[in-house]
Amino acid sequence: MTSTLLGPGRPGVLRSINDRAVLSLLLNNTTMTRPQIIKATGLSSPTTSQLVARLIEAGLICET
């Protein structure tokens, strides 16, 4: 049962994977727009907006 709760399909795990993917993109491309992030990752617009908001709130990125 524990492995099911921690498996790769869990929302928290998916958020972490997506956050890391976008942070990696930004490390290589310092400035990207949301549409560029969406195109590079294949994430939806709402998912990307939530992800960017999380990263801003965490102080990992800033919006210009």
Side-chain angles (χ1 to χ4, degrees):
M1 185 168 169
T2 302
S3 63
T4 302
L5 295 176
L6 300 174
R10 300 294 299 166
V13 173
L14 295 174
R15 276 191 293 274
S16 294
I17 292 168
N18 291 339
D19 290 356
R20 288 179 187 197
V22 170
L23 284 172
S24 178
L25 279 172
L26 293 172
L27 284 171
N28 294 317
N29 302 291
T30 59
T31 303
M32 292 182 80
T33 64
R34 281 188 174 105
Q36 288 171 324
I37 293 170
I38 290 167
K39 185 175 180 179
T41 62
L43 296 172
S44 69
S45 182
T47 297
T48 301
S49 290
Q50 292 170 357
L51 183 151
V52 168
R54 276 195 310 277
L55 296 179
I56 290 170
E57 186 177 316
L60 297 171
I61 64 171
C62 61
E63 192 169 32
T64 58

